[in-house]
Amino acid sequence: MATHRDIAARRTLALVGPSAAGKTSLVEALLWKAGAIGAPGSVERGSTVSDHDPLEKRALRSLNASIVHFEHKGITSHLIDTPGAPDFLGQSLPALEAVETAAIVINAGTGIEPMAVRMMEWAQQRERDRIIVVNKIDSQGVNLEQLLAQIQDTFGRECLPVNLPSQKGEAVIDCFYNVGTDGPPPDFSSVEAAHRALVEQVVEVDAEFTERYLNDGDVDPAELHAPLEQAMREGHLIPVCFVSARTGAGVAELLDVIEKLLPDPTESNPPAFLEGEGDAAKPYQAHVDPDKHVLAHVFKVTQDPYVGKMGVIRVHQGTLTKDSQLYVGDGRRPFKVGHLFMMQGKEVKEVAKAVPGDICAIAKVEELHFDAVLHDAAEDSHIHLKPLEFPYPVHGLAIEPKRRGDEQRLHDILQKLVSEDPCLRLEHVSSTNESVIYGLGELHLKTLLDRLTEVHRCEVNTRPPRIAYRETISLPAEGHHRHKKQTGGAGQFGEVFLRIEPLPRGTGFQFVDEVKGGAIPHNFMPAVEKGVHAAMEAGVVAGYPVVDVKVVVYDGKSHTVDSKEIAFVTAAKKALQAAVQAARPVVLEPIVNVEIAAPEQNMGDITGDLASRRGQVSGTGSSAAGALTVMALVPLSELASYQSRLNSLTGGQGRYTIEFSHYEPVPPTVQAQLASKYQIKDEG
């Protein structure tokens, strides 16, 4: 059996941050330095352990979260290499749930980019320990002293260097343990000053150490482990490390930081487990104990055409073995773990057990799904993790198979791809009878199409991006319809009276049955609700789903012979349509937060262009040297092919990210245009 000492020898780390920060190359350098691989691979040559997907090799960038591990000096470290593009947050955000520490990687040449800020905020919200890794310190013309000052201005004075670059970025000097050793001086500041700042920051969380420090002038760093872990756990200290994955400068020192300073599973903030549902859910404390019952979390799911379904899990409590009987969430039937794997990129190695702090995988279990909690005790069926708040996907693409008859196959494949990525959404639009896949951006959807055609061999046709408009109402109103059809034999009859009321934005839909005296027999009420749902899904004004509406059915009529379900479905649909038309309906459009980084001299052109797109600038900030960021709220419909426009405004030097913000009514002229293209089908 595993011991608590085994668990104390575990480290888990997610490398997060913007594209081109060098996360994948840094993983290669760490694997090589720890002796896990014979030589570091190259992103350009497609030879890295992390980027093993053929699509990643072609794109020269990470598209998926990839798990690797190594053993060094008696410590087992699990690393997760995450994509840096905002389009793939469905891969990078869940990695924070599987680790004790988030390493925000910053490119020394480009400085602090929006994605670094966002990942720092998300890691803080999930109460992860955080470190900042400044990579590419050997880049030409970088000012690392200025960059450190910018890091402290952006993220706080608690960001302190645990090592400093030396010899113009060719080496790194430890500032925590090896003070006073001979050698070249750092490129800026001094080892003594950096050491003093670290010790003073750490001892502040412990009154006894503070007193000793004030009396004696220094404290042996070897004694500071517990207060250092407390300082990191509370966000009172965020270590900053300097490294060059390309030259290897600082890689050995980063290994030391991982092994000596980063928390083991017993030292970090516990995972945010909850017991119960909704408002009744209460925090649940998982115990980092290999002898207790099992609690593990599925933070990644892959669907390979050849390997099948694989769930990647983090063990938080108990010991998993290949013969474990596990339940999936509140599932009533357990499954038996046939094989337990440790992952090294695309390679998997079977292991006999996994203990708290381990990241492993279980294959070919269909019940597994993203965010599931696995357990071996029936009483744990209501335990789950506090849900992550993912960006809402609003980039839509209508999609259909090229070959007639492949509709079901395409649907099945899309469902698998959606199950892998919580930021993908599949919607069937009944008014146009088309399937629409929604993602976080153009790159997100392009990658999905590439995966469809190249991995799953499914050829598709697509239509221009469909904006996820919605419809709602402004006033209460009533609707009524009598459906009567006589066709020689038994006819159809159903009559429905209903009223509708607007609900606050984001509330959704409420259905209330206030029929009295059996005016609509109880067995027909599901048909009434089905008709209401169908009308709301199809839309009334412009063919988009109706949202944030309360529907109250209060009266109706039936016929002992002619009343049928289909009659009440049709009556309810037309009554709802009539009510919406009378309730001053409005079309809502998605508004997104846009963050643009570009050279300072282009900012005037960019803000002017945003204004022409109905955008509202909400703020500006500084990015890397000579660059600024501008934040704005813009209707998504105005951002079609925006990257091309931004390229022309900035000579190809501008980048932007978007994130869903909220829905707002469209201007009357836009609503009139959308409504003119739509006609409700008459179903008689």
Side-chain angles (χ1 to χ4, degrees), residues 510-515 550-554:
Q510 294 177 14
F511 181 83
V512 180
D513 173 8
E514 288 187 359
V515 175
K550 179 179 180 180
V551 178
V552 180
V553 179
Y554 64 89

Side-chain angles (χ1 to χ4, degrees), residues 164-476:
L164 287 170
S166 177
Q167 304 174 65
K168 297 183 179 178
E170 292 183 7
V172 163
I173 304 172
D174 171 48
C175 300
F176 193 63
Y177 289 104
N178 303 321
V179 181
T181 55
D182 294 331
D187 292 338
F188 63 89
S189 184
S190 70
V191 172
E192 292 75 15
H195 174 79
R196 186 167 61 251
L198 279 167
V199 172
E200 289 176 356
Q201 191 78 1
V202 169
V203 299
E204 280 183 4
V205 301
D206 190 302
E208 179 188 336
F209 277 111
T210 301
E211 188 174 344
R212 280 180 55 190
Y213 181 74
L214 292 173
N215 291 335
D216 302 342
D218 201 3
V219 179
D220 184 352
E223 297 182 65
L224 290 178
H225 184 82
L228 183 138
E229 294 305 333
Q230 181 183 345
M232 290 185 63
R233 198 164 54 240
E234 295 175 355
H236 191 66
L237 173 67
I238 301 174
V240 180
C241 309
F242 292 90
V243 68
S244 169
R246 188 182 69 85
T247 67
V251 175
E253 288 80 2
L254 182 55
L255 267 182
D256 274 348
V257 167
I258 293 171
E259 291 157 5
K260 294 179 181 178
L261 301 186
L262 297 193
D264 66 50
T266 67
E267 294 171 324
S268 68
N269 289 314
F273 279 114
L274 298 172
E275 186 172 21
E277 305 299 327
D279 295 337
K282 297 179 180 178
Y284 180 88
Q285 176 72 55
H287 297 279
V288 186
D289 187 337
D291 300 325
K292 284 191 171 289
H293 48 94
V294 171
L295 275 180
H297 175 244
V298 180
F299 70 95
K300 179 178 170 65
V301 170
T302 62
Q303 297 264 15
D304 189 279
Y306 308 106
V307 177
K309 188 181 227 180
M310 181 175 283
V312 187
I313 63 176
R314 160 65 194 261
V315 182
H316 291 285
Q317 177 180 293
T319 300
L320 263 183
T321 65
K322 60 180 255 178
D323 295 320
S324 295
Q325 296 273 350
L326 296 178
Y327 296 90
V328 181
D330 57 3
R332 296 178 182 271
R333 285 175 37 190
F335 70 90
K336 183 178 179 181
V337 178
H339 301 280
L340 200 58
F341 299 106
M342 200 76 81
M343 305 179 75
Q344 191 77 318
K346 70 176 179 180
E347 305 295 332
V348 293
K349 179 181 76 172
E350 191 160 359
V351 293
K353 66 180 180 181
V355 300
D358 276 337
I359 293 174
C360 56
I362 297 173
K364 297 182 180 177
V365 178
E366 284 306 310
E367 297 90 336
L368 291 181
H369 59 86
F370 172 75
D371 214 26
V373 169
L374 308 183
H375 56 94
D376 59 0
E379 63 267 24
D380 290 340
S381 62
H382 294 293
I383 294 174
H384 56 96
L385 270 176
K386 179 181 177 182
L388 278 166
E389 293 184 7
F390 289 101
Y392 186 69
V394 288
H395 274 73
L397 200 63
I399 189 168
E400 64 182 14
K402 276 190 177 178
R403 288 191 307 181
R404 191 181 293 264
D406 272 359
E407 288 80 8
Q408 187 59 47
R409 179 169 177 261
L410 172 61
H411 178 79
D412 293 344
I413 295 171
L414 287 175
Q415 289 285 15
K416 288 181 179 180
L417 294 173
V418 168
S419 75
E420 294 181 356
D421 189 338
C423 291
L424 283 173
R425 182 167 56 90
L426 181 61
E427 186 177 285
H428 181 74
V429 183
S430 56
S431 60
T432 56
N433 194 29
E434 64 182 7
S435 294
V436 180
I437 188 80
Y438 290 97
L440 296 182
E442 295 171 28
L443 179 61
H444 198 191
L445 294 178
K446 179 183 181 301
T447 302
L448 175 133
L449 294 177
D450 289 343
R451 201 168 296 283
L452 266 175
T453 55
E454 296 182 27
V455 178
H456 295 276
R457 305 297 178 190
C458 184
E459 297 291 327
V460 295
N461 293 321
T462 60
R463 285 190 287 282
R466 178 181 170 91
I467 303 299
Y469 292 108
R470 295 291 181 259
E471 299 176 16
T472 193
I473 58 173
S474 307
L475 301 171

Side-chain angles (χ1 to χ4, degrees), residues 471-480 498-501 509 532 535-537 539-551 572-587 671 678 680:
E471 299 176 16
T472 193
I473 58 173
S474 307
L475 301 171
E478 296 200 353
H480 156 251
L498 55 78
R499 61 177 175 267
I500 58 176
E501 305 167 17
F509 166 65
V532 167
M536 292 183 64
E537 206 175 287
V540 177
V541 180
Y544 298 95
V546 179
V547 296
D548 304 333
V549 170
K550 179 179 180 180
V551 178
K573 283 177 71 172
K574 296 202 170 184
L576 191 283
Q577 290 164 355
V580 170
Q581 293 284 15
R584 197 191 294 165
V586 294
V587 176
Q671 179 158 325
Y678 177 68
I680 295 176

Side-chain angles (χ1 to χ4, degrees), residues 548-591:
D548 304 333
V549 170
K550 179 179 180 180
V551 178
V552 180
V553 179
Y554 64 89
D555 201 1
K557 287 183 182 176
S558 64
H559 188 278
T560 52
V561 176
D562 291 346
S563 284
K564 298 178 178 63
E565 282 193 8
I566 184 63
F568 278 102
V569 168
T570 304
K573 283 177 71 172
K574 296 202 170 184
L576 191 283
Q577 290 164 355
V580 170
Q581 293 284 15
R584 197 191 294 165
V586 294
V587 176
L588 303 172
E589 65 180 337
I591 306 297

